[in-house]
Amino acid sequence: MSMLPTTTHHAPLPVLRAAVFATVGTVLGVSAHHLIAEGPAPWRQSAWAVAMLFAIGLAGARRPRTLGAVAATSAAARPHDHPLH
């Protein structure tokens, strides 16, 4: 009897997915900051944002997610009404 390959639920290339998530998220945030504050974005905080989003994205890309988990995480991570600086 031959063994058939099995599929896994692991995300393909989780590091690449996390990097894209971090980059796009930070670019959108910096762009919004620039439009609202009418000045340059703080680059040190932007670098920290990329690092944090990469870590979160890498953790999330390694396991399957349910719609409820995505909605709950998005609601918990929503921005508040105070400025960043």
Side-chain angles (χ1 to χ4, degrees):
M1 179 171 12
S2 66
M3 298 289 283
L4 295 175
T6 59
T7 59
T8 62
H9 290 20
H10 297 287
L13 304 171
V15 173
L16 180 61
R17 289 180 64 191
V20 170
F21 169 75
T23 303
V24 170
T26 304
V27 166
L28 290 174
V30 167
S31 298
H33 181 278
H34 180 70
L35 289 173
I36 292 172
E38 296 180 0
W43 288 106
R44 183 176 294 156
Q45 291 174 344
S46 300
W48 278 106
V50 169
M52 294 302 294
L53 286 175
F54 179 76
I56 293 167
L58 190 57
R62 292 184 179 216
R63 64 178 137 267
R65 295 150 313 276
T66 63
L67 179 60
V70 171
T73 304
S74 297
R78 71 172 173 73
H80 299 287
D81 294 334
H82 60 80
L84 292 175
H85 43 83

